[in-house]
Amino acid sequence: MVDWNKIFDNFGIKKVSKTDKTKSAYLPNEKQRLAIEAAGILPANERPAPSFEVTVLFDATTSTVSSSYYYSERSPSAERNPEPRMGHGIISSWLAQGDKVLIGNIGSQLFAAKLNFSLPPSSIVVSEEIIKCANREVIFDRAKTATGKPAKRFIERAEFIRSPFIVAAVLIRSDGKCEMPGCARQLFSRDDDSPYLEVHHVVPLSEDGDDTFINAAALCPHCHREVHYGKNRYLLRDRLRVHIETLEA
Ligand SMILES: [Zn+2]
Ligand SMILES: [Zn+2]
């Protein structure tokens, strides 16, 4: 379950009603109004109401949508205050009747997401996605104001039990140099003055690779990260595999 509270300063969720759609004026609920106003947008009295951009999340078709926020015309008989509406593209073109829409703010940035579709299940994945759409200003502001020790989460995971003999043998075979062909990076030293190398599985154990001498290579930290996360990882993986096979042939 996604914990929206951990992501947004304020947020509210409301379905788009038939009236919202036919009048092209979305009536935000109280929590959504709080988010809009916390982002620094106050209901306008003037017509046409000024327009602002809302960052759209989890929608492959668009990343922003225009909106306005204004007081509806008060009918002469109404005693209560007019309720503000949202107009422009957000309701005229983006939202459809029945859409469950989340409106939330992080600082001065206002976000909207349709929750009709299934989202990634974890708050962490969702917040990473949201941060990709956040303004630099919002990101730096949150980073600078974050304080204290992070909360802990407990993760249960299965670990492979690797053979220490393979690790030792690979380090001997490497002769203190990164085994990625062409790598000549300077290695830093461990406490015992041995060069720092990491033993990597050419076909990862998680991809059903074997914990064998021929499937293991000693890599410098740079090559090791690159072979896992680099854009050219498959190319590097192949190059490494061929190299180790020739060594062992
Ligand atoms: Zn590795
Ligand atoms: Zn290297």
Side-chain angles (χ1 to χ4, degrees):
M1 268 297 284
V2 177
D3 188 352
W4 300 112
N5 278 306
K6 287 213 167 71
I7 299 169
F8 295 109
D9 298 346
N10 305 277
F11 76 94
I13 298 167
K14 200 206 93 171
K15 263 193 182 171
V16 178
S17 70
K18 195 176 172 186
T19 327
D20 289 336
K21 198 59 197 169
T22 51
K23 293 194 170 168
S24 255
Y26 178 74
L27 181 70
N29 67 20
E30 204 184 325
K31 287 181 169 176
Q32 291 174 328
R33 291 204 303 266
L34 213 62
I36 298 165
E37 290 172 24
I41 301 154
L42 294 173
N45 285 310
E46 70 262 38
R47 295 292 183 278
S51 164
F52 54 86
E53 291 295 305
V54 181
T55 305
V56 170
L57 298 166
F58 315 115
D59 186 333
T61 65
T62 187
S63 58
T64 61
V65 71
S66 73
S67 185
S68 60
Y69 188 53
Y70 59 92
Y71 282 124
S72 63
E73 313 291 338
R74 192 208 288 256
S75 78
S77 61
E79 284 294 305
R80 59 197 177 88
N81 281 329
E83 286 177 305
R85 317 281 157 113
M86 295 177 88
H88 287 331
I90 194 166
I91 185 68
S92 63
S93 55
W94 186 58
L95 291 170
Q97 187 187 332
D99 279 347
K100 204 172 141 191
V101 59
L102 176 149
I103 292 173
N105 79 296
I106 307 175
S108 58
Q109 193 173 358
L110 195 62
F111 296 86
K114 290 179 192 176
L115 303 182
N116 315 7
F117 319 102
S118 61
L119 289 172
S122 102
S123 290
I124 295 161
V125 177
V126 169
S127 37
E128 280 170 2
E129 277 307 306
I130 294 174
I131 289 165
K132 280 186 200 158
C133 306
N135 297 333
R136 282 173 63 116
E137 192 189 321
V138 162
I139 295 171
F140 279 98
D141 180 64
R142 283 299 173 276
K144 287 175 183 164
T145 54
T147 54
K149 306 264 183 272
K152 280 182 183 159
R153 57 191 169 118
F154 290 90
I155 299 170
E156 195 180 351
R157 64 169 192 193
E159 269 183 357
F160 294 102
I161 303 160
R162 305 172 55 165
S163 159
F165 293 102
I166 291 173
V167 173
V170 167
L171 289 173
I172 294 167
R173 183 185 67 197
S174 74
D175 194 24
K177 292 180 207 76
C178 174
E179 291 186 306
M180 180 62 77
C183 174
R185 273 186 196 83
Q186 184 86 44
L187 302 170
F188 60 82
S189 303
R190 290 181 182 269
D191 282 342
D192 66 359
D193 286 327
S194 66
Y196 181 86
L197 285 163
E198 296 173 346
V199 176
H200 163 77
H201 288 96
V202 182
V203 177
L205 301 180
S206 59
E207 288 173 31
D208 214 27
D210 292 328
D211 188 28
T212 54
F213 193 42
I214 190 115
N215 192 39
L219 296 177
C220 72
H222 181 103
C223 290
H224 194 191
R225 292 287 108 179
E226 191 175 6
V227 86
H228 279 280
Y229 301 109
K231 188 167 135 183
N232 291 329
R233 60 192 179 279
Y234 293 108
L235 189 89
L236 293 173
R237 188 199 279 196
D238 263 3
R239 205 176 281 168
L240 185 62
R241 182 182 51 77
V242 171
H243 176 66
I244 302 295
E245 279 168 7
T246 15
L247 282 181
E248 295 306 312

